[in-house]
Amino acid sequence: EPEVTQTPSHQVTQMGQEVILRCVPISNHLYFYWYRQILGQKVEFLVSFYNNEISEKSEIFDDQFSVERPDGSNFTLKIRSTKLEDSAMYFCASSRGVSGANVLTFGAGSRLTVL
Amino acid sequence: AQKVTQAQTEISVVEKEDVTLDCVYETRDTTYYLFWYKQPPSGELVFLIRRNSFDEQNEISGRYSWNFQKSTSSFNFTITASQVVDSAVYFCALSEELRGSQGNLIFGKGTKLSVKP
């Protein structure tokens, strides 16, 4: 079964450092997303991306965050200058179509620890 | 305002017991979709089911069943004859037709289910 692949599975970084989290969405999916889950809390929407541009972003997705699809397969989330509160599990997801009925397929997550 | 409430933070049962996970939602949209996702200890989010707001038929899939009631804005999930492998955090989520079109799923806080042998 096709899956969304995320790397790294766990990254530890120092506060203020830049971090790039990578995702390979399902190949025939056109819509891509990042979600965040702070430990023990609910999963929160960060951003959606289609046709090489951001479709929607949440309040969490401030100027220190950016997303990019640098080639035909990867979808990346960059955090420019990490803060302690950025420590969380980051989930990439993709979907074939766009509507409220979308079933998002999530990756296994990348755990980010900021020290 | 859109909101999903899972009032049960943690549930612990013994294997073979039935267990129901509650989910209550709030939305002003008339067209919306409800989801359940499972997060096993390995951490990934696994899709279980999607229902749309116009289909209130209950659904059964093996040991899993879902009870959607618009009158009470609830979408409860029952596991019959629970097994240790069912131990996970279960998330209920809401997608509205407009906001959901951008992939903005609204998740509840999750219910951690522990099934003991």
Side-chain angles (χ1 to χ4, degrees), chain A residues 35 37 48 56 98 100-101 104, chain B residues 37 39 50 95 101-103 105:
Chain A
Y35 280 74
Q37 183 185 28
S48 59
E56 184 180 351
V98 62
L104 273 58
Chain B
Y37 279 86
Q39 186 178 40
R50 176 193 64 201
S95 174
S101 66
Q102 306 301 330
L105 276 177

Side-chain angles (χ1 to χ4, degrees), chain B residues 8-68:
Chain B
Q8 305 148 309
T9 307
E10 289 193 45
I11 301 177
S12 182
V13 299
V14 177
E15 212 170 16
K16 297 184 185 174
E17 283 185 24
D18 298 348
V19 59
T20 295
L21 310 181
D22 298 333
C23 173
V24 174
Y25 62 92
E26 292 178 33
T27 178
R28 289 188 201 152
D29 274 19
T30 55
T31 303
Y32 53 89
Y33 304 84
L34 296 163
F35 301 79
W36 277 94
Y37 279 86
K38 173 182 180 179
Q39 186 178 40
S42 49
E44 71 273 25
L45 287 166
V46 179
F47 166 75
L48 294 178
I49 190 171
R50 176 193 64 201
R51 303 295 288 177
N52 73 57
S53 52
F54 299 108
D55 183 1
E56 284 192 75
Q57 277 196 344
N58 291 333
E59 182 155 341
I60 298 174
S61 175
R63 296 184 297 105
Y64 294 172
S65 62
W66 290 269
N67 183 354
F68 176 29

Side-chain angles (χ1 to χ4, degrees), chain A residues 66-99:
Chain A
S66 62
V67 289
E68 192 178 37
R69 188 155 163 83
D71 54 44
S73 59
N74 289 284
F75 177 51
T76 61
L77 173 70
K78 183 192 289 186
I79 308 175
R80 187 168 36 243
S81 177
T82 50
K83 300 182 279 211
L84 294 176
E85 54 264 37
D86 294 327
S87 295
M89 180 76 92
Y90 289 82
F91 290 102
C92 175
S94 68
S95 65
R96 189 176 306 167
V98 62
S99 80

Side-chain angles (χ1 to χ4, degrees), chain A residues 57-67 78-81 83:
Chain A
K57 58 184 181 180
S58 71
E59 294 172 351
I60 304 167
F61 194 87
D62 61 23
D63 290 345
Q64 69 159 348
F65 290 94
S66 62
V67 289
K78 183 192 289 186
I79 308 175
R80 187 168 36 243
S81 177
K83 300 182 279 211

